Amino acid sequence: MGNTINTQHEQLGKVRSTIREIFEYGNKRRMEIGAENVFDFSLGNPSVPAPEMVKKTYMELLQTESDIELHGYTSAQGALPTRKAIAENLNSRYGTAFHADNFYMTCGAAASLRVTLGALITPGAGEEVVTFTPYFPEYKVFVESSGAKLVESISDPETFQIDFTDLSSRITPQTKAVLINSPNNPSGVVIREEGIRQLAELLQERSAIYGHTIYIMTDEPYRELVYDAETVVPFVTKYYDSTIVCYSFSKSLSMPGERIGYILVPDACDRAADIYAAVCGAGRALGYVCAPSMVQKLIARCAGEVSDVQVYKKNRDILYGALTEYGYKCVYPDGAFYLFFKALEEDAGAFCNKARDYELLLVPADSFGTPGYVRLAYCVSTEQIEKSLPAFKALADSYK
Amino acid sequence: MGNTINTQHEQLGKVRSTIREIFEYGNKRRMEIGAENVFDFSLGNPSVPAPEMVKKTYMELLQTESDIELHGYTSAQGALPTRKAIAENLNSRYGTAFHADNFYMTCGAAASLRVTLGALITPGAGEEVVTFTPYFPEYKVFVESSGAKLVESISDPETFQIDFTDLSSRITPQTKAVLINSPNNPSGVVIREEGIRQLAELLQERSAIYGHTIYIMTDEPYRELVYDAETVVPFVTKYYDSTIVCYSFSKSLSMPGERIGYILVPDACDRAADIYAAVCGAGRALGYVCAPSMVQKLIARCAGEVSDVQVYKKNRDILYGALTEYGYKCVYPDGAFYLFFKALEEDAGAFCNKARDYELLLVPADSFGTPGYVRLAYCVSTEQIEKSLPAFKALADSYK
């Protein structure tokens, strides 16, 4: 067999992501001209602290629980009080009737997605997972690693809502699941209730025609990060029974490094018990023993907490207002902490390189399935936003 | 394609493990006759607290670090100070010359093993991973999930050291790696230096003959749990260059729920840089973004700490002495917290059922690849051990 190793994984480990490259350029530039002069909008890292209750709860847990209880294994599905607290929190917010055994605790959103795909997909069966542009590039990695093919449906380029004419042609007998992400990384767009309704109808229809259920997987780490009173993020299980929710507390609690999230398989989901078992089995096979224990105990007490995200709203309002005024064509971001706009030349990579002349670090959105667009992460200080505006103006002017 | 889901993962999720079943029987029995009257030796959960430094360090981190720093993403390979501290700790203990970039932080030993296998194994290539009886049953799950076949080499039934005549026939051109676990779960046996030397020679020879490197993977969560001054756990990288170490802090720090460990790919390992990249890529593909962040920061300060494991030694000495006296044929356990002995009838399952009449909960070792043997986990209170001795005697007498 020669001296082979797993080439696919070797390549995945060697290909530097665009965002990582920008990050390292930023580090170099910060050394050269000072951090305060580099306007780095490349990283989607929460910039607000965790809710105060988080530190308080950690301290209490450390002072009151025994080490063995606090740091011991939980069951593979997760600690019961944690799953109960999450069920109760969702039920109180959405009028649902979930119970602890609908939930499987995970090491964050990536694990939620990868384990769910591992439960649904049969490698070698030629199955497809449809998602919408723009989308988080790791979707492709997770879908392919579980043995399916990622199929892109091109969203409406004006609103980045679902284009049902396009979607209709992407759903085929091979479609196992449709993966949505709302509020969206990288566009910040929330899929409207009407869109979710129409999606549910289409999938019901096609499931009936093809004789098998097409599942919705909904990736929701940004659910709580919406900024306008009128923006509602529909809770998808209420519109379509066979919906599996993949959640992470990374953004709502500003603790992305702690790797804590869940998979929700509602009772109404087709083959719910089998899928829940397959989730447990996929978790086992992928080397997940349980989600980290102390943070599970924290979630049991903090399931309803959300970081103060007003600074994100403020940043969004300043940036969206200014960039629109300067002539950038921006998609209005309902939530998350990203602003998405059309590059001022066809090649977004070239545009982002030019932006560097103004010390603006932006991410070309080619790997998100939307060439010609740019992602800007505004989870930075408002001061940085304000200081960067003249640079954005000068960059726009340079194209006039 | 019909209404399929991933059957293999569904089955993995549905098959109750023997240990889990015993655990639930134990819960029922504890309700019926009181916890103090049930002698539950089924679970391999650390029963000693974490070192005092752990709580102290957590409190300090919470009080001095900013939330964003403490709970933020680390790089995928792990926080640099953490990897540096681990390298320094190993170098000071073993005279090695590791550096931070030899280490990839993981969510515990299971993740270390599964990600390493993901890096080495090419699915569909017919590769094999050899391990030794008795072995942790999840090895089969991890090896098969990464696309290889697990091959058992039968250890010497007297000493549970490697039987090189047997091993010699198991190593074939299909062998990609040999997986060792010392101190061993479930036997507690440490592979002697001579065994490691001989293993290294055999693998060097066969690698040369087959024209490709056979790697050693060494699973070492119990490295620090040895009880006799003369017992040395050889550091395998010093005997065989192409050794990849899979470690977890679960047992040394008594925090199995926190999911923190590492993969060590030494520079001397054949194709070290490619394998390290493949480890990063496999981690990505399996949904691991980074190891949990706060506990990584804890490890940076506590890499050299070990829980006080004297109670395990005490328990071992009492049990080994008494059981040998009663006529059980026990393997002398150098470390870990397991005692392994021959059932008093051929069918270990029937024996363990009979043991229940004496309120003794033991695990038949069939799923460890050693039918006819029994595993006893002595990570319990010394009081339970002492109280249980008459039951062990009565059980032995019932076979006379």
Side-chain angles (χ1 to χ4, degrees):
Chain A
M1 62 192 182
N3 216 359
T4 56
I5 61 170
N6 187 305
T7 317
Q8 210 176 338
H9 290 157
E10 185 189 346
Q11 287 311 313
L12 266 184
K14 282 186 176 168
V15 174
R16 273 256 177 93
S17 82
T18 316
I19 297 177
R20 182 89 204 152
E21 244 163 5
I22 298 169
F23 177 71
E24 304 210 337
Y25 172 83
N27 279 343
K28 183 174 145 276
R29 212 53 197 136
R30 279 182 276 270
M31 300 272 277
E32 289 166 359
I33 62 168
E36 69 286 4
N37 298 312
V38 182
F39 309 125
D40 189 345
F41 294 101
S42 64
L43 281 182
N45 262 339
S47 59
V48 301
E52 271 178 38
M53 174 108 173
V54 163
K55 185 188 290 186
K56 198 174 145 272
T57 305
Y58 268 130
M59 302 285 277
E60 271 173 21
L61 286 168
L62 285 160
Q63 280 159 334
T64 58
E65 301 256 326
S66 79
D67 281 8
I68 289 165
E69 178 61 28
L70 191 56
H71 305 304
Y73 291 114
T74 71
S75 77
Q77 58 180 158
L80 182 60
T82 307
R83 291 182 286 118
K84 235 169 156 168
I86 295 169
E88 279 163 17
N89 177 259
L90 290 180
N91 293 343
S92 73
R93 287 158 66 192
Y94 300 108
T96 46
F98 300 125
H99 54 90
D101 285 344
N102 295 129
F103 296 85
Y104 173 91
M105 300 305 298
T106 66
C107 294
S112 298
L113 290 166
R114 183 61 186 80
V115 170
T116 301
L117 288 163
L120 292 179
I121 302 298
T122 305
E127 295 173 325
E128 298 179 347
V129 175
V130 177
T131 198
F132 302 93
T133 61
Y135 61 87
F136 183 51
E138 294 297 283
Y139 284 0
K140 200 173 152 66
V141 176
F142 300 151
V143 168
E144 289 179 357
S145 165
S146 35
K149 188 183 154 196
L150 186 73
V151 172
E152 300 177 0
S153 173
I154 311 299
S155 299
D156 179 323
E158 295 301 314
T159 61
F160 285 94
Q161 296 289 320
I162 296 171
D163 175 339
F164 282 94
T165 311
D166 185 87
L167 176 61
S168 183
S169 71
R170 311 290 180 179
I171 307 276
T172 75
Q174 273 64 55
T175 310
K176 187 81 205 173
V178 172
L179 170 53
I180 62 179
N181 172 224
S182 165
N184 179 267
N185 172 11
S187 75
V189 165
V190 168
I191 304 175
R192 297 285 171 271
E193 191 186 18
E194 186 42 38
I196 298 293
R197 263 190 223 290
Q198 220 176 318
L199 175 63
E201 266 169 43
L202 176 65
L203 295 187
Q204 250 138 20
E205 201 182 285
R206 293 298 179 90
S207 294
I209 294 172
Y210 303 148
H212 70 87
T213 301
I214 300 171
Y215 293 89
I216 292 181
M217 287 175 57
T218 172
D219 176 25
E220 311 204 331
Y222 299 99
R223 167 164 287 278
E224 288 77 15
L225 277 61
V226 286
Y227 309 117
D228 301 315
E230 69 274 19
T231 306
V232 174
V233 185
F235 202 82
V236 188
T237 64
K238 300 174 74 170
Y239 300 83
Y240 190 71
D241 284 345
S242 292
T243 296
I244 301 170
V245 181
C246 295
Y247 186 80
S248 159
F249 292 93
S250 291
K251 275 72 184 189
S252 60
L253 294 181
S254 281
M255 40 200 308
E258 300 301 351
R259 314 312 303 140
I260 185 73
Y262 61 76
I263 297 167
L264 160 57
V265 184
D267 290 336
C269 180
D270 186 31
R271 299 193 64 187
D274 296 340
I275 290 176
Y276 191 90
V279 160
C280 295
R284 244 179 106 180
L286 300 176
Y288 294 99
V289 171
C290 63
S293 51
M294 182 161 60
V295 71
Q296 283 196 58
K297 295 203 167 57
L298 177 112
I299 297 293
R301 303 188 189 186
C302 301
E305 297 288 317
V306 178
S307 287
D308 177 6
V309 297
Q310 282 311 301
V311 64
Y312 297 147
K313 174 176 162 52
K314 191 174 174 188
N315 289 355
R316 180 201 65 172
D317 291 344
I318 296 173
L319 264 179
Y320 181 78
L323 266 64
T324 307
E325 187 195 315
Y326 303 153
Y328 295 94
K329 204 184 147 206
C330 303
V331 184
Y332 183 78
D334 302 297
F337 36 51
Y338 305 106
L339 189 71
F340 201 62
F341 62 94
K342 234 178 150 44
L344 296 177
E345 58 183 295
E346 207 173 324
D347 180 344
F351 172 78
C352 291
N353 277 338
K354 190 157 183 198
R356 290 187 185 184
D357 295 345
Y358 302 86
E359 309 304 343
L360 292 167
L361 304 189
L362 308 172
V363 176
D366 300 63
S367 61
F368 295 85
T370 40
Y373 283 82
V374 175
R375 184 187 89 167
L376 179 168
Y378 55 77
C379 42
V380 298
S381 70
T382 306
E383 199 193 338
Q384 176 182 323
I385 304 263
E386 280 164 345
K387 230 177 131 185
S388 72
L389 295 183
F392 279 110
K393 185 161 192 317
L395 175 62
D397 288 346
S398 79
Y399 280 95
K400 276 171 188 162
Chain B
M1 60 191 182
N3 216 0
T4 56
I5 61 170
N6 187 305
T7 318
Q8 210 177 337
H9 290 156
E10 186 188 347
Q11 287 312 313
L12 267 183
K14 282 184 178 169
V15 174
R16 273 255 179 95
S17 81
T18 316
I19 296 176
R20 180 90 205 153
E21 244 163 6
I22 298 169
F23 178 70
E24 305 210 336
Y25 171 82
N27 278 342
K28 183 174 144 277
R29 210 56 195 133
R30 278 182 277 270
M31 301 271 279
E32 288 166 1
I33 62 167
E36 69 285 7
N37 298 312
V38 181
F39 309 125
D40 189 346
F41 294 101
S42 65
L43 281 181
N45 262 339
S47 60
V48 301
E52 271 179 37
M53 174 110 174
V54 164
K55 185 188 288 188
K56 198 174 144 271
T57 305
Y58 268 131
M59 302 286 276
E60 271 173 20
L61 286 168
L62 285 160
Q63 278 158 334
T64 58
E65 300 256 325
S66 80
D67 282 7
I68 290 164
E69 179 61 26
L70 192 56
H71 305 303
Y73 291 114
T74 71
S75 77
Q77 57 182 157
L80 181 60
T82 307
R83 290 181 287 119
K84 236 171 153 165
I86 295 169
E88 280 163 16
N89 176 259
L90 290 180
N91 293 344
S92 73
R93 288 159 65 193
Y94 301 107
T96 45
F98 301 126
H99 53 89
D101 286 343
N102 294 129
F103 296 85
Y104 173 91
M105 301 304 299
T106 66
C107 294
S112 298
L113 291 166
R114 183 60 185 82
V115 170
T116 300
L117 288 163
L120 293 178
I121 301 298
T122 305
E127 294 172 326
E128 298 178 348
V129 175
V130 176
T131 199
F132 302 92
T133 61
Y135 60 86
F136 183 50
E138 293 297 282
Y139 284 0
K140 199 172 152 67
V141 176
F142 301 151
V143 168
E144 290 179 356
S145 165
S146 36
K149 188 182 155 199
L150 185 74
V151 172
E152 299 177 1
S153 173
I154 311 298
S155 297
D156 179 323
E158 295 300 314
T159 61
F160 285 94
Q161 297 289 318
I162 296 172
D163 175 341
F164 282 95
T165 311
D166 185 86
L167 177 62
S168 184
S169 71
R170 311 289 181 180
I171 307 275
T172 75
Q174 274 63 56
T175 310
K176 188 77 204 176
V178 172
L179 171 52
I180 62 180
N181 172 224
S182 164
N184 179 267
N185 172 10
S187 75
V189 165
V190 168
I191 303 175
R192 296 284 172 271
E193 191 185 18
E194 186 41 38
I196 298 292
R197 261 189 224 290
Q198 220 176 318
L199 175 63
E201 265 168 44
L202 175 65
L203 295 187
Q204 250 138 21
E205 201 182 285
R206 294 298 179 91
S207 295
I209 294 172
Y210 303 148
H212 69 85
T213 301
I214 300 172
Y215 293 90
I216 292 182
M217 288 175 58
T218 171
D219 176 25
E220 312 204 331
Y222 299 98
R223 168 163 287 278
E224 288 77 15
L225 276 62
V226 287
Y227 309 117
D228 301 315
E230 68 273 20
T231 306
V232 173
V233 185
F235 203 81
V236 187
T237 65
K238 299 173 76 171
Y239 300 83
Y240 190 71
D241 284 344
S242 292
T243 297
I244 301 170
V245 181
C246 295
Y247 186 80
S248 161
F249 292 92
S250 289
K251 274 71 183 190
S252 60
L253 293 180
S254 279
M255 41 201 305
E258 299 302 351
R259 315 311 304 139
I260 185 75
Y262 60 76
I263 297 166
L264 160 56
V265 184
D267 290 336
C269 179
D270 186 30
R271 297 194 64 188
D274 296 340
I275 290 176
Y276 191 91
V279 160
C280 295
R284 243 179 106 179
L286 300 176
Y288 294 98
V289 172
C290 63
S293 50
M294 183 160 59
V295 71
Q296 282 197 60
K297 294 200 167 58
L298 177 111
I299 296 293
R301 303 187 188 186
C302 300
E305 297 287 318
V306 178
S307 287
D308 177 6
V309 297
Q310 281 312 302
V311 64
Y312 298 147
K313 175 178 162 51
K314 190 173 175 188
N315 290 354
R316 181 202 65 171
D317 291 344
I318 296 174
L319 264 178
Y320 181 77
L323 267 65
T324 306
E325 188 195 316
Y326 304 154
Y328 294 95
K329 204 184 147 207
C330 303
V331 184
Y332 183 78
D334 303 298
F337 36 50
Y338 305 106
L339 189 70
F340 201 61
F341 62 94
K342 235 179 150 42
L344 296 178
E345 59 184 297
E346 207 174 324
D347 180 344
F351 173 79
C352 291
N353 278 337
K354 188 157 186 203
R356 289 188 186 184
D357 294 345
Y358 302 85
E359 308 304 343
L360 292 166
L361 303 189
L362 308 172
V363 177
D366 300 62
S367 62
F368 295 85
T370 41
Y373 283 82
V374 175
R375 185 188 88 167
L376 179 168
Y378 56 76
C379 42
V380 298
S381 69
T382 306
E383 199 194 340
Q384 174 181 324
I385 304 264
E386 281 163 345
K387 230 179 132 183
S388 71
L389 295 183
F392 279 108
K393 185 161 192 320
L395 175 62
D397 288 345
S398 79
Y399 280 95
K400 276 175 188 160

